[in-house]
Amino acid sequence: MTKAIEITLKVWRQKGPGHKGRLETYRADNISTDMSFLEMLDVVNEHLTLDGREPIAFDHDCREGICGQCGSVVNGRPHGPEQGTTLCQLHMRHFHNGDTLVIEPFRARAFKIVKDLAVDRSPLDKIIQAGGYVSVNTGGTPDANSIPIPAEIAEEAMDAAACIGCGACVAACPNASAMLFVSAKVSQLALLPQGRPEAAKRVLAMVRQMDACGFGNCSNERECEAECPKQISITHIARLNREFVKAGFGSSVF
Amino acid sequence: MSLDAKIPGGPLADKWDRHKFDLKLVNPANKRKFNIIVVGTGLAGGSAAASLAELGYDVKNFCIQDTPRRAHSIAAQGGINASKNYQNDGDSTWRLFYDTIKGGDFRAREGNVYRLAQVSGNIIDQCVAQGVPFAREYGGTLANRSFGGAQVSRTFYARGQTGQQLLLGAYSALSRQIAAGKVTMYPRREMLDVVVTGNRARGIVVRNLISGEIEKHAADAVVLCTGGYGNVFFLSTNAMASNVTAAYRAHKRGAFFANPCYTQIHPTCIPVHGTYQSKLTLMSESLRNDGRVWVPKKGGDTRPPSQIPESERSYYLEEKYPSFGNLVPRDVASRNAKEQCDAGRGVGDTQLAVYLDFADAIKRDGQEVIAKKYGNLFEMYEKIVADNPYEMPMMIYPAVHYTMGGLWVDYNLMSNLDGLFVLGEANFSDHGANRLGASALMQGLADGYFVLPYTIGGYLSQVTPGEVTADNAAFDETAAQAKARINRLLSVGGKRTVDDFHRELGLIMWDYCGMARNDAGLEKAIGLIQELRGEFWENVTVPGSPGDFNQSLERAGRVADFLEFAELMVKDALHRKESCGGHFNEAYQTEENEARRDDENFCYVAAWEHTGTDNEPALHKETLEFENVKLSQRSYK
């Protein structure tokens, strides 16, 4: 049943990294429960613009839960209250008339603020650059069917590969660790035969890069798994830990 | 005189191999002297940047988002075609070529399309080698499924997230080159213009979206991989940032824009649910492998679907097209959906929807099997619509999805401006007037991994590296023009927001230049667009300043370009007095309401030249020669 509701927003506003930020209050009325959360913010921004005030800056792109660009903390939960749902997929039917929504950016030492709700997640790119790939140039690769991969392994690798790189795991973790993100890529490539030649080097380099970027350590809080919009499992962290130990003992490289 | 696409001579199957030998090479030790700019990091841009860097070129790669992994290729769902014939069902390079040419309604270049089919298998090999987790059969070999417009099972997929996995494969290859120092990555940059001197592309001017600074970047070649212009309709399946700016600005600097009226409307998308709607969500074509499309036979039937018996349902695609059934090409499926809704048989609150029903498939295969194939798509549907597609049919309606038109390029993927290459959806070349499903991913990666690395060498071997640097006066002039435009946008100080103008433009385009067009409507649209554009420059309000992160300013620039581009698109539609693929003019249809081509007068690519603001664009025709394929009325019966 579509309804129109009235809600109060407390939104983090911050002009830039060198400025102080604060929560500002806005009223949003006549919000259709069929609207998505970001469409609600669009409506708020239209009113701010027409009032001659600066609209709220927030990152977004695909608005269908796959690109990983959107993401804010809503009432203390990265991407809001629904499980397995990105902020752009969250719809207003999950809120009630009179609700107050506190909307803040993902907070982590490694994610510097850009403006308002937008943050700099380039450290996640740096981690991938440290080894989240298979070193193969374009061309000259063997036929795609030459190495059979058991269907269950392919499914497990796909589960890990579904990570969208949004950083909600970092925002949810009390230590602001990026372990779930790192483990998703390490796990995907550790499971596949194509990833085995560099598996040891990869896990050591990516974890080292995660540390260098200022992310915290993993102490098995499991908040990341609870908040991940793609429901990436912490069994991938367990696999990363096994790979890490194997690499430390068995590798001649590091 | 016909525009020369530089298609090599000789038998079709040998053209590309012979051409690769004829193209001059750049000595390995000399490659590092060449700077190449790649704009865009989707399948085309990411694969191109990575491959060129691997070869030894010095590459600069730009993207609008915060990281290269956000490009909208990531949202592609259903799969990627390749003529591997793993299924032993009759596929071959020739068949993939033929299906694509026919699917494009005989308005694409034979040479380009054959090459696409030829390299399609290499793409799958490359992706598997990168660790892309394609779906597998129990024995460990790759799985396939069927897609529209084909009677073989040639589509490789990774659940309903194939685009994501292919893009992340290209992104990982790109990341490796960034780490190696071979690619300098510039995220959060928007290309505002290309710098051209003497008919040659010399570099680009970009805006740093965080600081607002206008940056000048020079190069020996510029490669545009900036995607499609579907957002001219405001509502489309594109991402919010997708825009026509880079391509359109190159067009204003001299690059011809080809067939802009060939737009693809995808038949299965989640219907519009309100005026605040910001985009439309795609439900992959792969669903039509198992879903059955139907409407109630009687118009205005508001019974819940489970209460409508089989005898009162019209499975109209299966009835009208027995051979292809639900897997007819997109333009055919979309027009049929519109026809059913126009006749009053639409369902849902708006009555602008048809059913896509999985009940039979679930009964036949079990819910678990269906969930494994389409799980994430069903979840996506439920989140948005709050209905469970395992229990009741999905409601779907056509939506703007892809654009076959784009900057004109020759067989080497170079535009008519020297040194300006265009890849992926941003170019016009391979899909004719209608793209088949699972072929966009194929084209983007073919262009970036297996075509450009050869053809760009052919060009660069003829030029001296580093001839023009960013100090050149042309860069200052182009940057100054970009700054002036930004200041103008910020100073209008009107009363309507950018999105409000964008929404109105979208409605004009959807109503008059959408699934079914007519001369009167197109002429009216030109006037409406001109009026809206005039009002924009007098009444838009863009808050904030140019010197920081200003998303309203970003959107204003993109919409200003859409307001000009839309007119070119409508004029192209008006001039093409025939129907073909995604361009359907009501005056030209067969008795069975299918598109009726006029091969005698319109078998050409319409490449438009910008001749100045307020001047009519000049038409250059590239005549299409079909030596290997017999032109026929497209039938999927």
Side-chain angles (χ1 to χ4, degrees), chain A residues 2 15 32-36 38-39 42-43 45-50 52-70 83-86 88-91 93-94 114-115 118-122 124-126 128-130 132-152 154-167 181 185 188-189 192 194-195 198 229-231, chain B residues 47 50-51 54-55 64-72 74-75 77 84 86 121-122 124-126 128-142 156 158-159 161 164-165 168 171-179 185 187-188 210 237-242 273 276-282 349 372 376 379-380 382-386 448-450 453 495-500 503 541-545 548-552 555:
Chain A
T2 309
K15 222 168 129 50
S32 163
T33 51
D34 276 343
M35 273 188 201
S36 73
L38 296 187
E39 284 166 354
D42 286 342
V43 167
N45 273 346
E46 288 281 280
H47 287 129
L48 289 173
T49 303
L50 292 171
R53 295 159 72 190
E54 180 130 10
I56 302 162
F58 63 93
D59 268 326
H60 62 101
D61 203 18
C62 76
R63 298 211 175 181
E64 43 184 287
I66 194 79
C67 73
Q69 180 127 22
C70 73
Q83 218 185 29
T85 305
T86 55
C88 64
Q89 292 177 311
L90 180 65
H91 280 70
R93 64 180 71 96
H94 298 289
V114 168
K115 186 175 182 182
V119 298
D120 176 11
R121 286 166 293 186
S122 57
L124 297 183
D125 280 334
K126 291 210 162 38
I128 299 293
Q129 287 160 21
Y133 49 75
V134 173
S135 296
V136 55
N137 281 1
T138 304
T141 48
D143 179 76
N145 261 350
S146 56
I147 307 176
I149 299 176
E152 318 80 64
E155 289 296 310
E156 184 78 9
M158 178 66 227
D159 286 343
C163 165
I164 60 175
C166 66
F181 170 81
K185 188 53 68 182
Q188 172 200 345
L189 295 178
L192 296 172
Q194 291 82 9
E198 298 166 285
K230 297 294 144 188
Q231 300 180 288
Chain B
S47 61
S51 306
E54 287 160 15
L55 285 169
I64 281 184
Q65 301 89 345
D66 63 338
T67 134
R69 65 180 292 160
R70 311 286 187 218
H72 201 50
I74 200 136
Q77 295 168 359
K84 285 284 203 183
Y86 284 155
N122 300 103
I124 306 299
D125 299 340
Q126 185 67 34
V128 167
Q130 290 170 340
V132 168
F134 283 118
R136 301 251 164 194
E137 302 290 358
Y138 285 113
T141 53
L142 292 164
F156 296 82
R159 296 202 184 136
Q161 314 171 214
Q164 177 196 42
Q165 292 310 315
L168 292 179
Y171 163 73
S172 71
L174 174 64
S175 297
R176 183 168 145 248
Q177 297 309 309
I178 294 170
M185 188 67 225
R188 302 261 201 203
I210 307 277
T237 64
N238 284 7
M240 302 302 288
S242 302
H273 51 78
Y276 45 75
Q277 184 120 5
S278 54
K279 70 158 280 177
L280 297 165
T281 306
L282 178 70
D349 291 333
K372 193 153 149 243
N376 65 308
E379 269 171 39
M380 232 159 99
E382 187 162 6
K383 286 194 214 298
I384 293 172
V385 179
Y449 283 139
F450 297 112
K495 299 228 170 352
R496 280 181 75 178
T497 63
V498 174
D499 284 354
D500 202 37
R503 214 171 269 125
T541 173
V542 184
S545 75
D548 79 337
F549 191 60
N550 187 338
Q551 293 173 309
S552 308
R555 289 201 306 276

Side-chain angles (χ1 to χ4, degrees), chain B residues 433-603:
Chain B
N434 173 61
R435 179 176 71 72
L436 291 182
S439 55
L441 304 185
M442 177 175 73
Q443 187 221 337
L445 291 179
D447 287 355
Y449 283 139
F450 297 112
V451 177
L452 185 73
Y454 293 90
T455 62
I456 204 170
Y459 170 73
L460 292 173
S461 62
Q462 313 296 302
V463 308
T464 313
E467 258 185 343
V468 167
T469 64
D471 302 326
N472 183 291
F475 282 85
D476 289 328
E477 206 180 298
T478 311
Q481 287 166 350
K483 271 199 194 93
R485 190 163 184 259
I486 288 170
N487 290 333
R488 201 177 148 204
L489 284 167
L490 287 165
S491 63
V492 174
K495 299 228 170 352
R496 280 181 75 178
T497 63
V498 174
D499 284 354
D500 202 37
F501 278 103
H502 198 178
R503 214 171 269 125
E504 189 175 332
L505 175 66
L507 280 170
I508 295 170
M509 298 306 283
W510 180 249
D511 286 341
Y512 299 107
C513 200
M515 277 189 276
R517 304 159 177 178
N518 57 63
D519 287 0
L522 291 168
E523 272 157 26
K524 181 167 175 201
I526 293 172
L528 291 173
I529 293 165
Q530 288 172 344
E531 218 177 284
L532 189 65
R533 186 167 70 237
E535 197 204 326
F536 177 84
W537 286 103
E538 305 206 325
N539 198 21
V540 73
T541 173
V542 184
S545 75
D548 79 337
F549 191 60
N550 187 338
Q551 293 173 309
S552 308
L553 177 62
E554 292 172 29
R555 289 201 306 276
R558 295 167 200 160
V559 171
D561 285 333
F562 277 134
L563 283 165
E564 286 184 34
F565 171 74
E567 194 176 329
L568 177 66
M569 205 173 124
V570 174
K571 285 179 171 162
D572 181 46
L574 187 57
H575 111 284
R576 186 166 285 276
K577 305 283 186 217
E578 63 161 357
S579 290
C580 55
H583 167 66
F584 189 83
N585 185 320
E586 288 164 350
Y588 310 103
Q589 47 183 302
T590 66
E591 296 101 49
E592 289 157 329
N593 308 119
E594 305 289 1
R596 182 158 58 84
R597 295 191 320 265
D598 177 359
D599 290 333
E600 202 181 304
N601 294 306
F602 286 94
C603 196

